Amino acid sequence: MTDTAPASSPAESPRVIALVDDDRNILTTVSIALRSEGFVTRVYSDGETALKALLDNPPDLAVCDIKMPRMDGLQLLQKLRETSALPVIFLTSKDEEPDEALGLAMGADDYIAKPFSQRLLIARIRAILRRSALVRGAPEVENDEQPAEAIRRGRLEMDPLRHQVLWNGQPVSLTVTEFLILEALAARPGVIKSRNQLMDAAYSDDVFVDDRTIDSHIKRLRRKFRSVDPHFGAIETLYGAGYSYSDG
């Protein structure tokens, strides 16, 4: 593992990005590009080594390849999601489309297909970090982007400042993307939100995702809530229209 700081440090602490890939060329070139943008990078060449480091000393975000020795990216994500909501971007190949859908269903925040432009990757990283800051009420978020006050809808409690979600008083661990989608639904119970509206709530303007991405996040949200309440049904599907949140 290498922990590399940017050439010059900004006034505030730089964000830390973990890169997990068995391709040394990708690790080197992406790390250099991120350093030039003011990030600190930590690089790992396999999932098994990365897992312990990501749990013991979490970065702000991880970029992970899917195909790796010892422990692949999907196995790494599965282990991470047992205890961590760390934002994760997957790197995939064109022939790994089923893995993309599975990764999103397992809790990845985004994916980028290889070959990719470094500019696109950096834009996606910045977008997720902005969403993370918004959800957690970080000081660097501008005043007009401050997260909403705590939401209470029946058995649901959401506190953006603490990135905390409770259902019937029991905690439910959500990723940043899942939190923002649920917040958009719960803010107006009974109102149907189209997939495009949920994309707008969860992603910035410079990130484009398809319907399958939102559907995968919704499925994972339901699965997480049903792990604490098998009868959870507050997120309703309106076929052909979108999703809504029910207070009942």
Side-chain angles (χ1 to χ4, degrees):
M1 188 275 287
T2 303
D3 195 338
T4 309
S8 58
S9 298
E12 63 184 33
S13 298
R15 296 300 191 93
V16 179
I17 310 299
L19 304 175
V20 190
D21 201 310
D22 61 330
D23 188 327
R24 291 287 182 178
N25 289 330
I26 288 180
L27 289 179
T28 300
T29 57
V30 173
S31 183
I32 290 172
L34 289 173
R35 287 176 57 206
S36 71
E37 294 292 322
F39 294 102
V40 169
T41 60
R42 300 174 187 160
V43 299
Y44 309 92
S45 58
D46 68 84
E48 190 173 292
T49 302
L51 177 62
K52 185 177 188 305
L54 295 179
L55 292 175
D56 290 348
N57 186 20
D60 293 290
L61 181 145
V63 179
C64 298
D65 189 24
I66 286 186
K67 301 299 184 185
M68 294 185 294
R70 299 178 66 186
M71 177 185 290
D72 66 27
L74 294 174
Q75 293 171 318
L76 171 61
L77 179 64
Q78 183 179 33
K79 292 290 186 181
L80 274 177
R81 286 294 176 256
E82 291 176 1
T83 57
S84 172
L86 174 72
V88 173
I89 296 176
F90 265 143
L91 300 180
T92 69
S93 299
K94 288 184 177 180
D95 60 350
E96 294 172 351
E97 188 171 305
D99 288 339
E100 294 171 0
L102 181 57
L104 291 169
M106 292 170 60
D109 291 273
D110 205 347
Y111 66 86
I112 297 178
K114 297 178 181 178
F116 58 89
S117 75
Q118 293 178 359
R119 179 174 297 182
L120 173 63
L121 176 59
I122 290 170
R124 297 285 183 93
I125 288 172
R126 291 194 182 282
I128 291 178
L129 290 177
R130 284 196 299 271
R131 287 151 48 200
S132 179
L134 179 63
V135 166
R136 291 173 172 81
E140 63 266 28
V141 177
E142 298 295 332
N143 290 334
D144 61 353
E145 291 185 340
Q146 285 297 328
E149 296 180 356
I151 294 175
R152 291 177 175 81
R153 299 284 185 264
R155 290 170 285 177
L156 174 69
E157 296 180 42
M158 300 184 69
D159 187 345
L161 292 175
R162 295 177 176 83
H163 188 62
Q164 183 181 68
V165 177
L166 301 176
W167 181 261
N168 276 343
Q170 298 184 67
V172 182
S173 177
L174 303 184
T175 66
V176 172
T177 304
E178 292 163 354
F179 191 103
L180 290 172
I181 290 173
L182 179 61
E183 185 179 41
L185 291 170
R188 300 187 66 188
V191 175
I192 300 171
K193 293 280 188 176
S194 69
R195 290 173 177 82
N196 285 337
Q197 288 174 315
L198 294 177
M199 289 177 198
D200 290 342
Y203 293 90
S204 63
D205 293 339
D206 55 0
V207 175
F208 301 95
V209 297
D210 59 23
D211 290 356
R212 183 185 62 192
T213 304
I214 295 299
D215 293 341
S216 294
H217 288 307
I218 291 289
K219 288 178 183 177
R220 186 164 178 83
L221 273 169
R222 286 171 170 154
R223 195 155 53 239
K224 287 185 174 183
F225 277 93
R226 285 170 183 162
S227 70
V228 300
D229 178 3
H231 303 293
F232 175 83
I235 299 176
E236 300 180 344
T237 300
L238 292 306
Y239 291 99
Y243 298 95
S244 69
Y245 181 86
S246 171
D247 252 341

